[in-house]
Each structure stands twice: as C-alpha cells, then as structure tokens.
C-alpha cells in the first residue's frame, strides 16, 4: 500500500489554532515518564530513519549524531551498532536509565561541571553519551558539533514559544556539512492541543531557511486509534532533510 500520499483535506496552511500559547513544563514531561504515558515511544524504531538512513549518512562513516529530546529512542542503538557515536539530551533520567537497561548496555554517570544539577550517562563503550538536563543548557563548548541530527518528537515537542530558541541552538551545534533529518507532524491543530505540536512547512522555512536548504522527502499517513481518540481524522508524519548552505 502506498502510504506516502497526503490524506484528503490535509491542512497545508499556517493555521496553528490555539497551540502557539501552549506550554508543557519539564515537570509535566517527567510525570508522563513516571505514569508510563509515553505513547510517542516507538519500540521498533522509526521506519523513516531506516528508509532514509543513507540521506543522513551521505556515504560517511564514524559520524557524531545528535538526538535532541531523545527519550529512550531505540534508533540511538541502531546507529552505534553501525559504528557511529551518539549524543542525546533528555530531561527525564528515568527515560535514559530505561534506554540503557532495555538494551543491556552498561554505563556510568558523571556530573557535567558546566551545568548545575546535570548528569551525563555514558555507555562503558564510550560511544553513547546521554545528557540529563534541558537542551537549553547545552552549547557546542559542552557537547561539540555534530555531523547528523535525528529530530523526531523533538521540534514538535518543543513549546511553540521556544521554537526559535531551539532552532538557533541546533544551528550552533551543526558541522558545516551535516545532514539534519527532521520529522514533523501534520493534523488539524484546532482539534488537538499537542504535543506533538503541528509545525507548518512555512514555519520550518522561516526557522531554518537562512542557513539550510530544506527538502521534503516524504509524507506518511500515520493515523491510528491513538489519534482518533485525540479527536483527529487525519495525522501525517512529514520528513525533511535540512542541509547547511551558509
Ligand atoms: N525523541 C524521542 C522522545 C519524544 S517525546 C522519541 O522519538 O521517542 C519528547 C521528549 O522530550 C520527552 O521524553 C521529554 O521528557 C523530553 N523533553 C521535553 N522538554 C525537554 C527539554 N527542554 N530538554 C530535554 N528534553 C526535553
């Protein structure tokens, strides 16, 4: 079945309904993890990363790949198994500990001297470093720069009022020839308050446009019972690749 076609009537405009003022606090995210309210987590990993892996890697090996707002994304394990190294950031320590436990990976913890209260959980092998803090506490002097980014459930989870801050930070973390895979979602934002938040293509262009060439690779119908319960009648995932141009 071709799942790439847009749903009929899919919203392509820039109407973001009442979402622009919505704020989800760090405390609320921590509670979601405590309650096991993590419907966003994909146990089997994301098919779009599998399909477009070559776009992220671009023929390169031994990359440093960043997972903003990483949760316990299993794709981190995929990439280290291919010989890349991964850095993630996540406010929930529970999420990070579950990641290491579920993949039976030994790790150690250390404080991050530059960030008060933050911890780094690092696999014993050294190729997975997960920072337990807010992404806004990071900088390239702490984590270095990256050759690739897998942004799924990240920009769309950032509070709409923080998007510019998030994107400005991400741009400072990218190497010049990096590839940035961005997954957004598309649905009628008047029917669900988010997260995930609806980020229209026009906003992706205004957020990243000055620095990146932006190409939409695929739109996938991802509608499920979960979305029906939210009161939606369509839900798409939209994959972009962003490449640094200036
Ligand atoms: N990218 C993951 C998780 C998506 S859900 C995946 O694909 O499964 C968004 C995650 O961001 C949650 O785990 C939440 O705890 C975390 N988060 C929210 N705000 C954050 C912030 N400011 N800094 C770091 N992590 C944050």
């Amino acid at each position: 079945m071709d799942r790439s076609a847009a749903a009929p009537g899919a919203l392509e405009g820039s109407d973001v309904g009442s979402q622009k003022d919505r704020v989800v606090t760090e405390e609320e995210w921590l509670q979601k993890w405590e309650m096991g309210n993590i419907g966003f987590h994909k146990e089997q990993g994301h098919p779009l990363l599998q399909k477009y892996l070559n776009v992220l890697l671009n023929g390169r090996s031994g990359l440093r790949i960043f997972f903003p707002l990483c949760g316990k994304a299993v794709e981190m394990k995929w990439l280290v198994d291919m010989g890349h190294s991964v850095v993630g950031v996540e406010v929930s320590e529970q999420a990070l500990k579950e990641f290491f436990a579920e993949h039976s990976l030994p790790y150690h913890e250390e404080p991050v001297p530059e960030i008060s209260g933050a911890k780094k959980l690092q696999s014993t092998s050294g190729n997975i470093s997960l920072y337990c803090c807010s992404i806004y506490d990071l900088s390239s002097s702490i984590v270095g720069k990256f050759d690739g980014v897998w942004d799924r459930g990240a920009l769309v989870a950032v509070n709409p009022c923080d998007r510019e801050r998030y994107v400005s930070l991400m741009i400072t973390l990218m190497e010049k020839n990096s590839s940035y895979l961005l997954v957004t979602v598309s649905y009628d934002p008047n029917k669900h308050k988010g997260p995930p938040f609806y980020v229209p293509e026009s906003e992706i262009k205004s957020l990243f446009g000055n620095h990146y060439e932006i190409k939409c690779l695929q739109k996938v119908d991802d509608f499920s019972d979960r979305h029906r319960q939210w009161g939606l009648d369509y839900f798409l995932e939209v994959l972009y690749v962003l490449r640094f141009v200036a």
Side-chain angles (χ1 to χ4, degrees), residues 12 48 55 149-151 155 179-186 199-205 213-219 237-243:
E12 291 296 339
L48 286 175
V55 176
V149 172
W150 174 243
D151 181 322
L155 175 64
S179 305
Y180 187 131
L181 287 184
L182 169 66
V183 182
T184 65
V185 292
S186 181
V199 187
E201 183 157 347
S202 56
E203 195 169 341
I204 309 286
K205 288 190 172 142
E213 173 192 284
I214 301 166
K215 191 167 148 199
C216 179
L217 295 175
Q218 193 167 349
K219 294 187 182 181
E237 284 190 311
V238 187
L239 176 70
Y240 299 91
V241 59
L242 315 177
R243 288 221 168 90

PDB file of all heavy atoms in Angstrom, residues 12 48 55 149-151 155 179-186 199-205 213-219 237-243:
ATOM      1  N   GLU A  12      -2.568  22.294   4.899  1.00  0.00           N
ATOM      2  CA  GLU A  12      -1.234  22.659   4.417  1.00  0.00           C
ATOM      3  C   GLU A  12      -0.927  24.110   4.739  1.00  0.00           C
ATOM      4  O   GLU A  12       0.091  24.642   4.369  1.00  0.00           O
ATOM      5  CB  GLU A  12      -1.131  22.442   2.898  1.00  0.00           C
ATOM      6  CG  GLU A  12      -1.165  20.979   2.477  1.00  0.00           C
ATOM      7  CD  GLU A  12       0.024  20.193   2.990  1.00  0.00           C
ATOM      8  OE1 GLU A  12       1.062  20.791   3.330  1.00  0.00           O
ATOM      9  OE2 GLU A  12      -0.103  18.964   3.062  1.00  0.00           O
ATOM     10  N   LEU A  48      11.027   5.595   9.037  1.00  0.00           N
ATOM     11  CA  LEU A  48      11.582   6.626   8.145  1.00  0.00           C
ATOM     12  C   LEU A  48      13.092   6.777   8.318  1.00  0.00           C
ATOM     13  O   LEU A  48      13.792   7.146   7.380  1.00  0.00           O
ATOM     14  CB  LEU A  48      10.886   7.979   8.380  1.00  0.00           C
ATOM     15  CG  LEU A  48       9.458   8.098   7.835  1.00  0.00           C
ATOM     16  CD1 LEU A  48       8.845   9.436   8.233  1.00  0.00           C
ATOM     17  CD2 LEU A  48       9.430   7.939   6.311  1.00  0.00           C
ATOM     18  N   VAL A  55      20.480   9.072   3.527  1.00  0.00           N
ATOM     19  CA  VAL A  55      20.424  10.529   3.406  1.00  0.00           C
ATOM     20  C   VAL A  55      21.114  11.164   4.619  1.00  0.00           C
ATOM     21  O   VAL A  55      21.830  12.155   4.518  1.00  0.00           O
ATOM     22  CB  VAL A  55      18.956  11.014   3.297  1.00  0.00           C
ATOM     23  CG1 VAL A  55      18.888  12.535   3.264  1.00  0.00           C
ATOM     24  CG2 VAL A  55      18.290  10.417   2.073  1.00  0.00           C
ATOM     25  N   VAL A 149      21.781  14.888  12.572  1.00  0.00           N
ATOM     26  CA  VAL A 149      20.756  15.012  13.621  1.00  0.00           C
ATOM     27  C   VAL A 149      19.555  14.171  13.230  1.00  0.00           C
ATOM     28  O   VAL A 149      19.150  14.175  12.055  1.00  0.00           O
ATOM     29  CB  VAL A 149      20.276  16.485  13.767  1.00  0.00           C
ATOM     30  CG1 VAL A 149      19.084  16.573  14.725  1.00  0.00           C
ATOM     31  CG2 VAL A 149      21.384  17.378  14.253  1.00  0.00           C
ATOM     32  N   TRP A 150      19.015  13.443  14.198  1.00  0.00           N
ATOM     33  CA  TRP A 150      17.718  12.789  14.028  1.00  0.00           C
ATOM     34  C   TRP A 150      16.756  13.501  14.975  1.00  0.00           C
ATOM     35  O   TRP A 150      16.818  13.334  16.190  1.00  0.00           O
ATOM     36  CB  TRP A 150      17.825  11.292  14.356  1.00  0.00           C
ATOM     37  CG  TRP A 150      16.505  10.556  14.355  1.00  0.00           C
ATOM     38  CD1 TRP A 150      15.919   9.940  15.424  1.00  0.00           C
ATOM     39  CD2 TRP A 150      15.627  10.325  13.238  1.00  0.00           C
ATOM     40  NE1 TRP A 150      14.728   9.358  15.039  1.00  0.00           N
ATOM     41  CE2 TRP A 150      14.529   9.581  13.708  1.00  0.00           C
ATOM     42  CE3 TRP A 150      15.656  10.694  11.886  1.00  0.00           C
ATOM     43  CZ2 TRP A 150      13.468   9.178  12.888  1.00  0.00           C
ATOM     44  CZ3 TRP A 150      14.597  10.302  11.064  1.00  0.00           C
ATOM     45  CH2 TRP A 150      13.525   9.554  11.551  1.00  0.00           C
ATOM     46  N   ASP A 151      15.902  14.340  14.380  1.00  0.00           N
ATOM     47  CA  ASP A 151      14.972  15.156  15.156  1.00  0.00           C
ATOM     48  C   ASP A 151      13.576  14.597  14.940  1.00  0.00           C
ATOM     49  O   ASP A 151      12.883  14.953  13.986  1.00  0.00           O
ATOM     50  CB  ASP A 151      15.083  16.618  14.695  1.00  0.00           C
ATOM     51  CG  ASP A 151      14.163  17.572  15.452  1.00  0.00           C
ATOM     52  OD1 ASP A 151      13.018  17.201  15.765  1.00  0.00           O
ATOM     53  OD2 ASP A 151      14.583  18.720  15.710  1.00  0.00           O
ATOM     54  N   LEU A 155      11.555  18.840  17.756  1.00  0.00           N
ATOM     55  CA  LEU A 155      10.994  20.164  17.431  1.00  0.00           C
ATOM     56  C   LEU A 155       9.485  20.176  17.705  1.00  0.00           C
ATOM     57  O   LEU A 155       8.946  21.153  18.220  1.00  0.00           O
ATOM     58  CB  LEU A 155      11.274  20.521  15.959  1.00  0.00           C
ATOM     59  CG  LEU A 155      10.627  21.828  15.490  1.00  0.00           C
ATOM     60  CD1 LEU A 155      11.181  23.043  16.224  1.00  0.00           C
ATOM     61  CD2 LEU A 155      10.780  22.011  13.981  1.00  0.00           C
ATOM     62  N   SER A 179      23.949  16.658   7.965  1.00  0.00           N
ATOM     63  CA  SER A 179      22.586  16.409   7.466  1.00  0.00           C
ATOM     64  C   SER A 179      21.660  16.327   8.666  1.00  0.00           C
ATOM     65  O   SER A 179      21.980  15.663   9.655  1.00  0.00           O
ATOM     66  CB  SER A 179      22.483  15.064   6.753  1.00  0.00           C
ATOM     67  OG  SER A 179      23.425  14.980   5.751  1.00  0.00           O
ATOM     68  N   TYR A 180      20.531  16.955   8.531  1.00  0.00           N
ATOM     69  CA  TYR A 180      19.582  17.052   9.640  1.00  0.00           C
ATOM     70  C   TYR A 180      18.269  16.455   9.149  1.00  0.00           C
ATOM     71  O   TYR A 180      17.628  17.021   8.267  1.00  0.00           O
ATOM     72  CB  TYR A 180      19.443  18.537   9.977  1.00  0.00           C
ATOM     73  CG  TYR A 180      18.640  18.928  11.196  1.00  0.00           C
ATOM     74  CD1 TYR A 180      19.158  19.831  12.118  1.00  0.00           C
ATOM     75  CD2 TYR A 180      17.344  18.472  11.415  1.00  0.00           C
ATOM     76  CE1 TYR A 180      18.427  20.242  13.230  1.00  0.00           C
ATOM     77  CE2 TYR A 180      16.612  18.875  12.517  1.00  0.00           C
ATOM     78  CZ  TYR A 180      17.151  19.763  13.415  1.00  0.00           C
ATOM     79  OH  TYR A 180      16.422  20.176  14.507  1.00  0.00           O
ATOM     80  N   LEU A 181      17.892  15.290   9.705  1.00  0.00           N
ATOM     81  CA  LEU A 181      16.592  14.714   9.348  1.00  0.00           C
ATOM     82  C   LEU A 181      15.576  15.171  10.386  1.00  0.00           C
ATOM     83  O   LEU A 181      15.758  14.956  11.592  1.00  0.00           O
ATOM     84  CB  LEU A 181      16.642  13.189   9.310  1.00  0.00           C
ATOM     85  CG  LEU A 181      17.381  12.530   8.148  1.00  0.00           C
ATOM     86  CD1 LEU A 181      17.248  11.006   8.227  1.00  0.00           C
ATOM     87  CD2 LEU A 181      16.887  13.019   6.797  1.00  0.00           C
ATOM     88  N   LEU A 182      14.534  15.800   9.898  1.00  0.00           N
ATOM     89  CA  LEU A 182      13.503  16.381  10.769  1.00  0.00           C
ATOM     90  C   LEU A 182      12.154  15.738  10.461  1.00  0.00           C
ATOM     91  O   LEU A 182      11.720  15.753   9.308  1.00  0.00           O
ATOM     92  CB  LEU A 182      13.420  17.893  10.505  1.00  0.00           C
ATOM     93  CG  LEU A 182      12.238  18.639  11.117  1.00  0.00           C
ATOM     94  CD1 LEU A 182      12.305  18.634  12.648  1.00  0.00           C
ATOM     95  CD2 LEU A 182      12.195  20.083  10.608  1.00  0.00           C
ATOM     96  N   VAL A 183      11.532  15.177  11.489  1.00  0.00           N
ATOM     97  CA  VAL A 183      10.182  14.615  11.308  1.00  0.00           C
ATOM     98  C   VAL A 183       9.193  15.549  12.007  1.00  0.00           C
ATOM     99  O   VAL A 183       9.316  15.801  13.214  1.00  0.00           O
ATOM    100  CB  VAL A 183      10.061  13.208  11.935  1.00  0.00           C
ATOM    101  CG1 VAL A 183       8.672  12.632  11.679  1.00  0.00           C
ATOM    102  CG2 VAL A 183      11.139  12.274  11.401  1.00  0.00           C
ATOM    103  N   THR A 184       8.251  16.068  11.245  1.00  0.00           N
ATOM    104  CA  THR A 184       7.176  16.849  11.860  1.00  0.00           C
ATOM    105  C   THR A 184       5.865  16.095  11.690  1.00  0.00           C
ATOM    106  O   THR A 184       5.832  15.038  11.044  1.00  0.00           O
ATOM    107  CB  THR A 184       7.036  18.250  11.229  1.00  0.00           C
ATOM    108  OG1 THR A 184       6.631  18.089   9.881  1.00  0.00           O
ATOM    109  CG2 THR A 184       8.330  19.031  11.318  1.00  0.00           C
ATOM    110  N   VAL A 185       4.823  16.642  12.275  1.00  0.00           N
ATOM    111  CA  VAL A 185       3.509  16.003  12.152  1.00  0.00           C
ATOM    112  C   VAL A 185       2.523  17.016  11.612  1.00  0.00           C
ATOM    113  O   VAL A 185       2.693  18.226  11.827  1.00  0.00           O
ATOM    114  CB  VAL A 185       3.026  15.452  13.518  1.00  0.00           C
ATOM    115  CG1 VAL A 185       3.891  14.281  13.946  1.00  0.00           C
ATOM    116  CG2 VAL A 185       3.007  16.525  14.592  1.00  0.00           C
ATOM    117  N   SER A 186       1.525  16.532  10.914  1.00  0.00           N
ATOM    118  CA  SER A 186       0.520  17.418  10.351  1.00  0.00           C
ATOM    119  C   SER A 186      -0.866  16.884  10.696  1.00  0.00           C
ATOM    120  O   SER A 186      -1.154  15.707  10.441  1.00  0.00           O
ATOM    121  CB  SER A 186       0.722  17.510   8.843  1.00  0.00           C
ATOM    122  OG  SER A 186      -0.227  18.386   8.283  1.00  0.00           O
ATOM    123  N   VAL A 199       3.688  21.817  13.210  1.00  0.00           N
ATOM    124  CA  VAL A 199       4.615  22.856  12.739  1.00  0.00           C
ATOM    125  C   VAL A 199       4.491  22.923  11.212  1.00  0.00           C
ATOM    126  O   VAL A 199       4.927  22.006  10.514  1.00  0.00           O
ATOM    127  CB  VAL A 199       6.086  22.543  13.127  1.00  0.00           C
ATOM    128  CG1 VAL A 199       6.982  23.734  12.777  1.00  0.00           C
ATOM    129  CG2 VAL A 199       6.217  22.206  14.604  1.00  0.00           C
ATOM    130  N   PRO A 200       3.866  23.979  10.709  1.00  0.00           N
ATOM    131  CA  PRO A 200       3.662  24.052   9.256  1.00  0.00           C
ATOM    132  C   PRO A 200       4.980  24.224   8.496  1.00  0.00           C
ATOM    133  O   PRO A 200       5.952  24.732   9.053  1.00  0.00           O
ATOM    134  CB  PRO A 200       2.769  25.277   9.061  1.00  0.00           C
ATOM    135  CG  PRO A 200       2.711  25.988  10.354  1.00  0.00           C
ATOM    136  CD  PRO A 200       3.295  25.116  11.431  1.00  0.00           C
ATOM    137  N   GLU A 201       4.958  23.806   7.238  1.00  0.00           N
ATOM    138  CA  GLU A 201       6.169  23.907   6.411  1.00  0.00           C
ATOM    139  C   GLU A 201       6.658  25.356   6.316  1.00  0.00           C
ATOM    140  O   GLU A 201       7.862  25.616   6.330  1.00  0.00           O
ATOM    141  CB  GLU A 201       5.883  23.337   5.013  1.00  0.00           C
ATOM    142  CG  GLU A 201       7.102  23.344   4.143  1.00  0.00           C
ATOM    143  CD  GLU A 201       7.067  22.331   3.009  1.00  0.00           C
ATOM    144  OE1 GLU A 201       6.201  21.429   3.010  1.00  0.00           O
ATOM    145  OE2 GLU A 201       7.919  22.461   2.125  1.00  0.00           O
ATOM    146  N   SER A 202       5.719  26.290   6.274  1.00  0.00           N
ATOM    147  CA  SER A 202       6.118  27.706   6.183  1.00  0.00           C
ATOM    148  C   SER A 202       6.960  28.095   7.406  1.00  0.00           C
ATOM    149  O   SER A 202       7.898  28.884   7.307  1.00  0.00           O
ATOM    150  CB  SER A 202       4.880  28.605   6.093  1.00  0.00           C
ATOM    151  OG  SER A 202       4.039  28.349   7.202  1.00  0.00           O
ATOM    152  N   GLU A 203       6.640  27.510   8.549  1.00  0.00           N
ATOM    153  CA  GLU A 203       7.407  27.846   9.757  1.00  0.00           C
ATOM    154  C   GLU A 203       8.783  27.173   9.743  1.00  0.00           C
ATOM    155  O   GLU A 203       9.773  27.764  10.176  1.00  0.00           O
ATOM    156  CB  GLU A 203       6.621  27.456  11.020  1.00  0.00           C
ATOM    157  CG  GLU A 203       7.234  28.116  12.229  1.00  0.00           C
ATOM    158  CD  GLU A 203       6.394  28.027  13.491  1.00  0.00           C
ATOM    159  OE1 GLU A 203       5.172  27.765  13.397  1.00  0.00           O
ATOM    160  OE2 GLU A 203       6.978  28.208  14.568  1.00  0.00           O
ATOM    161  N   ILE A 204       8.847  25.947   9.215  1.00  0.00           N
ATOM    162  CA  ILE A 204      10.166  25.289   9.084  1.00  0.00           C
ATOM    163  C   ILE A 204      11.071  26.185   8.239  1.00  0.00           C
ATOM    164  O   ILE A 204      12.234  26.403   8.557  1.00  0.00           O
ATOM    165  CB  ILE A 204      10.040  23.913   8.366  1.00  0.00           C
ATOM    166  CG1 ILE A 204       8.985  23.019   8.986  1.00  0.00           C
ATOM    167  CG2 ILE A 204      11.394  23.215   8.255  1.00  0.00           C
ATOM    168  CD1 ILE A 204       9.335  22.416  10.266  1.00  0.00           C
ATOM    169  N   LYS A 205      10.466  26.719   7.159  1.00  0.00           N
ATOM    170  CA  LYS A 205      11.263  27.559   6.252  1.00  0.00           C
ATOM    171  C   LYS A 205      11.700  28.829   6.957  1.00  0.00           C
ATOM    172  O   LYS A 205      12.836  29.272   6.815  1.00  0.00           O
ATOM    173  CB  LYS A 205      10.469  27.887   4.995  1.00  0.00           C
ATOM    174  CG  LYS A 205      10.339  26.655   4.123  1.00  0.00           C
ATOM    175  CD  LYS A 205       9.782  26.964   2.767  1.00  0.00           C
ATOM    176  CE  LYS A 205       9.880  25.719   1.890  1.00  0.00           C
ATOM    177  NZ  LYS A 205       8.735  25.542   1.011  1.00  0.00           N
ATOM    178  N   GLU A 213      19.226  24.411   3.269  1.00  0.00           N
ATOM    179  CA  GLU A 213      18.401  24.035   2.126  1.00  0.00           C
ATOM    180  C   GLU A 213      17.437  22.980   2.668  1.00  0.00           C
ATOM    181  O   GLU A 213      17.871  22.046   3.350  1.00  0.00           O
ATOM    182  CB  GLU A 213      19.349  23.434   1.086  1.00  0.00           C
ATOM    183  CG  GLU A 213      18.724  22.817  -0.106  1.00  0.00           C
ATOM    184  CD  GLU A 213      19.807  22.035  -0.845  1.00  0.00           C
ATOM    185  OE1 GLU A 213      20.638  22.654  -1.528  1.00  0.00           O
ATOM    186  OE2 GLU A 213      19.809  20.795  -0.689  1.00  0.00           O
ATOM    187  N   ILE A 214      16.151  23.160   2.410  1.00  0.00           N
ATOM    188  CA  ILE A 214      15.135  22.303   3.039  1.00  0.00           C
ATOM    189  C   ILE A 214      14.415  21.506   1.967  1.00  0.00           C
ATOM    190  O   ILE A 214      13.888  22.073   1.018  1.00  0.00           O
ATOM    191  CB  ILE A 214      14.102  23.179   3.784  1.00  0.00           C
ATOM    192  CG1 ILE A 214      14.817  24.014   4.840  1.00  0.00           C
ATOM    193  CG2 ILE A 214      12.985  22.326   4.391  1.00  0.00           C
ATOM    194  CD1 ILE A 214      13.976  25.147   5.392  1.00  0.00           C
ATOM    195  N   LYS A 215      14.436  20.187   2.132  1.00  0.00           N
ATOM    196  CA  LYS A 215      13.756  19.353   1.130  1.00  0.00           C
ATOM    197  C   LYS A 215      12.801  18.418   1.847  1.00  0.00           C
ATOM    198  O   LYS A 215      13.202  17.743   2.809  1.00  0.00           O
ATOM    199  CB  LYS A 215      14.817  18.549   0.395  1.00  0.00           C
ATOM    200  CG  LYS A 215      14.317  17.855  -0.835  1.00  0.00           C
ATOM    201  CD  LYS A 215      15.523  17.362  -1.636  1.00  0.00           C
ATOM    202  CE  LYS A 215      15.185  16.092  -2.355  1.00  0.00           C
ATOM    203  NZ  LYS A 215      16.359  15.348  -2.750  1.00  0.00           N
ATOM    204  N   CYS A 216      11.549  18.389   1.408  1.00  0.00           N
ATOM    205  CA  CYS A 216      10.597  17.434   1.977  1.00  0.00           C
ATOM    206  C   CYS A 216      10.797  16.097   1.270  1.00  0.00           C
ATOM    207  O   CYS A 216      10.728  16.016   0.048  1.00  0.00           O
ATOM    208  CB  CYS A 216       9.176  17.956   1.766  1.00  0.00           C
ATOM    209  SG  CYS A 216       7.954  16.827   2.423  1.00  0.00           S
ATOM    210  N   LEU A 217      11.097  15.052   2.047  1.00  0.00           N
ATOM    211  CA  LEU A 217      11.383  13.749   1.444  1.00  0.00           C
ATOM    212  C   LEU A 217      10.132  12.888   1.330  1.00  0.00           C
ATOM    213  O   LEU A 217       9.984  12.121   0.392  1.00  0.00           O
ATOM    214  CB  LEU A 217      12.423  12.990   2.281  1.00  0.00           C
ATOM    215  CG  LEU A 217      13.816  13.604   2.348  1.00  0.00           C
ATOM    216  CD1 LEU A 217      14.697  12.816   3.297  1.00  0.00           C
ATOM    217  CD2 LEU A 217      14.450  13.652   0.960  1.00  0.00           C
ATOM    218  N   GLN A 218       9.265  12.978   2.329  1.00  0.00           N
ATOM    219  CA  GLN A 218       8.091  12.102   2.288  1.00  0.00           C
ATOM    220  C   GLN A 218       7.043  12.563   3.284  1.00  0.00           C
ATOM    221  O   GLN A 218       7.373  13.065   4.367  1.00  0.00           O
ATOM    222  CB  GLN A 218       8.495  10.653   2.610  1.00  0.00           C
ATOM    223  CG  GLN A 218       7.390   9.685   2.262  1.00  0.00           C
ATOM    224  CD  GLN A 218       7.833   8.230   2.253  1.00  0.00           C
ATOM    225  OE1 GLN A 218       9.013   7.921   2.321  1.00  0.00           O
ATOM    226  NE2 GLN A 218       6.864   7.341   2.168  1.00  0.00           N
ATOM    227  N   LYS A 219       5.778  12.330   2.916  1.00  0.00           N
ATOM    228  CA  LYS A 219       4.665  12.494   3.862  1.00  0.00           C
ATOM    229  C   LYS A 219       4.028  11.131   4.016  1.00  0.00           C
ATOM    230  O   LYS A 219       3.732  10.479   3.016  1.00  0.00           O
ATOM    231  CB  LYS A 219       3.622  13.475   3.314  1.00  0.00           C
ATOM    232  CG  LYS A 219       4.159  14.874   3.206  1.00  0.00           C
ATOM    233  CD  LYS A 219       3.091  15.877   2.819  1.00  0.00           C
ATOM    234  CE  LYS A 219       3.763  17.232   2.686  1.00  0.00           C
ATOM    235  NZ  LYS A 219       2.865  18.293   2.333  1.00  0.00           N
ATOM    236  N   GLU A 237       2.932  12.133   9.140  1.00  0.00           N
ATOM    237  CA  GLU A 237       4.301  12.480   9.505  1.00  0.00           C
ATOM    238  C   GLU A 237       4.963  13.045   8.255  1.00  0.00           C
ATOM    239  O   GLU A 237       4.738  12.532   7.151  1.00  0.00           O
ATOM    240  CB  GLU A 237       5.072  11.244   9.950  1.00  0.00           C
ATOM    241  CG  GLU A 237       4.699  10.792  11.338  1.00  0.00           C
ATOM    242  CD  GLU A 237       5.647   9.714  11.834  1.00  0.00           C
ATOM    243  OE1 GLU A 237       5.884   8.748  11.099  1.00  0.00           O
ATOM    244  OE2 GLU A 237       6.154   9.859  12.961  1.00  0.00           O
ATOM    245  N   VAL A 238       5.759  14.068   8.434  1.00  0.00           N
ATOM    246  CA  VAL A 238       6.413  14.716   7.295  1.00  0.00           C
ATOM    247  C   VAL A 238       7.913  14.730   7.570  1.00  0.00           C
ATOM    248  O   VAL A 238       8.358  15.224   8.610  1.00  0.00           O
ATOM    249  CB  VAL A 238       5.903  16.175   7.129  1.00  0.00           C
ATOM    250  CG1 VAL A 238       6.457  16.779   5.844  1.00  0.00           C
ATOM    251  CG2 VAL A 238       4.382  16.236   7.150  1.00  0.00           C
ATOM    252  N   LEU A 239       8.660  14.138   6.630  1.00  0.00           N
ATOM    253  CA  LEU A 239      10.115  14.062   6.815  1.00  0.00           C
ATOM    254  C   LEU A 239      10.813  15.074   5.905  1.00  0.00           C
ATOM    255  O   LEU A 239      10.548  15.124   4.699  1.00  0.00           O
ATOM    256  CB  LEU A 239      10.614  12.653   6.468  1.00  0.00           C
ATOM    257  CG  LEU A 239      12.133  12.480   6.528  1.00  0.00           C
ATOM    258  CD1 LEU A 239      12.644  12.534   7.964  1.00  0.00           C
ATOM    259  CD2 LEU A 239      12.566  11.159   5.885  1.00  0.00           C
ATOM    260  N   TYR A 240      11.700  15.854   6.517  1.00  0.00           N
ATOM    261  CA  TYR A 240      12.518  16.817   5.757  1.00  0.00           C
ATOM    262  C   TYR A 240      13.989  16.464   5.933  1.00  0.00           C
ATOM    263  O   TYR A 240      14.385  15.941   6.986  1.00  0.00           O
ATOM    264  CB  TYR A 240      12.364  18.233   6.316  1.00  0.00           C
ATOM    265  CG  TYR A 240      10.974  18.804   6.269  1.00  0.00           C
ATOM    266  CD1 TYR A 240      10.096  18.629   7.345  1.00  0.00           C
ATOM    267  CD2 TYR A 240      10.538  19.540   5.165  1.00  0.00           C
ATOM    268  CE1 TYR A 240       8.815  19.171   7.310  1.00  0.00           C
ATOM    269  CE2 TYR A 240       9.258  20.080   5.135  1.00  0.00           C
ATOM    270  CZ  TYR A 240       8.410  19.895   6.207  1.00  0.00           C
ATOM    271  OH  TYR A 240       7.142  20.437   6.180  1.00  0.00           O
ATOM    272  N   VAL A 241      14.786  16.802   4.938  1.00  0.00           N
ATOM    273  CA  VAL A 241      16.232  16.831   5.158  1.00  0.00           C
ATOM    274  C   VAL A 241      16.671  18.283   5.034  1.00  0.00           C
ATOM    275  O   VAL A 241      16.265  19.003   4.120  1.00  0.00           O
ATOM    276  CB  VAL A 241      17.020  15.898   4.202  1.00  0.00           C
ATOM    277  CG1 VAL A 241      16.805  16.237   2.744  1.00  0.00           C
ATOM    278  CG2 VAL A 241      18.505  15.936   4.553  1.00  0.00           C
ATOM    279  N   LEU A 242      17.482  18.680   6.002  1.00  0.00           N
ATOM    280  CA  LEU A 242      17.999  20.048   6.009  1.00  0.00           C
ATOM    281  C   LEU A 242      19.493  19.964   5.812  1.00  0.00           C
ATOM    282  O   LEU A 242      20.172  19.190   6.499  1.00  0.00           O
ATOM    283  CB  LEU A 242      17.715  20.726   7.351  1.00  0.00           C
ATOM    284  CG  LEU A 242      16.313  20.564   7.945  1.00  0.00           C
ATOM    285  CD1 LEU A 242      16.231  21.232   9.315  1.00  0.00           C
ATOM    286  CD2 LEU A 242      15.268  21.159   7.032  1.00  0.00           C
ATOM    287  N   ARG A 243      20.007  20.729   4.850  1.00  0.00           N
ATOM    288  CA  ARG A 243      21.462  20.743   4.634  1.00  0.00           C
ATOM    289  C   ARG A 243      21.965  22.161   4.723  1.00  0.00           C
ATOM    290  O   ARG A 243      21.402  23.078   4.131  1.00  0.00           O
ATOM    291  CB  ARG A 243      21.812  20.139   3.271  1.00  0.00           C
ATOM    292  CG  ARG A 243      21.599  18.624   3.260  1.00  0.00           C
ATOM    293  CD  ARG A 243      22.729  17.903   2.512  1.00  0.00           C
ATOM    294  NE  ARG A 243      22.648  16.473   2.772  1.00  0.00           N
ATOM    295  CZ  ARG A 243      21.942  15.612   2.032  1.00  0.00           C
ATOM    296  NH1 ARG A 243      21.272  16.041   0.986  1.00  0.00           N
ATOM    297  NH2 ARG A 243      21.921  14.334   2.358  1.00  0.00           N
TER     298      ARG A 243
END
